[in-house]
Amino acid sequence: MDSKELLWSEIVSRISRCSKCDLHKYRTNPVPGEGSLYSKMLLIGEAPGKNEDEEGRPFVGAAGKLLTELLEVRGIKRSEVFITNVVKCRPPNNREPYDEEIRACSEYTVSIIKLVSPKILVTLGNHAGKFIFELGGVRWINVSRMRGRSYKMDIVGIKDVLVIPTYHPATALYNPNIRSVLESDFDMIKEYYFMEYGVGSIKRKTLLDFLEGGRH
Ligand code: URA
Ligand code: SF4
């Protein structure tokens, strides 16, 4: 086990013993997150649902299936990014997490951000967006006003993190308009992701292209 894996196992064990908010009373399993600790991209969702609570893994239900598809059709393997949520235990009846629960859980969220130390941070939905923008000191309005562009900010001591806010995949499940916006946001996410890994899919024109173009 290297030092990142060791730190991760410590975070997981702290979460599994945590009773800092009432959500611990309802959980079957805590859902700390999963993926590659070495990824340049971290995605943050809202809260575990029924399936996640049963499996102890994030985004394994219907919204998770959509998230996995949004990534994988663009050539990004789910296992090569890191995925977590602003709260690590399932709220009863799938209600939204309260601010105080997100705040109580922020100790772990911050530890995870520091550990992965991502170049790109994708926030899924209003709760994750609001939380991360507050950390970065950038005013948050709401997801529909903030999405569609990226924001550079310093977060928990990590410089120049590219934050990309978008809708939560659950909201796209039964709404084709949101689904198509989410698809286009993931097109942008893909561009930045491959740019970080040095395989930009936007073909840069060389001088030769211009010279040849000039001859036509
Ligand atoms: N929705 C979330 O926000 N997180 C999950 O893990 C699953 C569904
Ligand atoms: Fe602890 Fe977070 Fe679970 Fe609340 S949601 S009990 S703060 S791990």
Side-chain angles (χ1 to χ4, degrees), residues 15 18-21 23-24 27 87-89 101 104-105 108:
I15 290 172
C18 181
S19 56
K20 285 180 35 163
C21 81
L23 295 183
H24 80 278
R27 73 180 173 222
V87 295
K88 318 297 177 282
C89 306
E101 293 161 348
C105 212
Y108 309 115

Side-chain angles (χ1 to χ4, degrees), residues 73-96:
V73 298
R74 290 172 177 78
I76 304 169
K77 282 208 209 79
R78 177 184 158 121
S79 60
E80 71 190 41
V81 301
F82 202 90
I83 304 174
T84 189
N85 288 300
V86 285
V87 295
K88 318 297 177 282
C89 306
R90 182 196 182 197
N93 307 314
N94 293 347
R95 68 158 168 78
E96 293 183 25

Side-chain angles (χ1 to χ4, degrees), residues 42-55:
L42 173 65
L43 294 96
I44 305 191
E46 187 174 301
K50 186 170 187 290
N51 296 287
E52 290 78 17
D53 176 70
E54 281 167 4
E55 282 195 42

Side-chain angles (χ1 to χ4, degrees), residues 44-46 86 102 122-133 140:
I44 305 191
E46 187 174 301
V86 285
I102 295 171
V122 177
T123 62
L124 304 165
N126 263 307
H127 290 287
K130 183 165 174 279
F131 177 77
I132 292 300
F133 275 64
W140 175 261

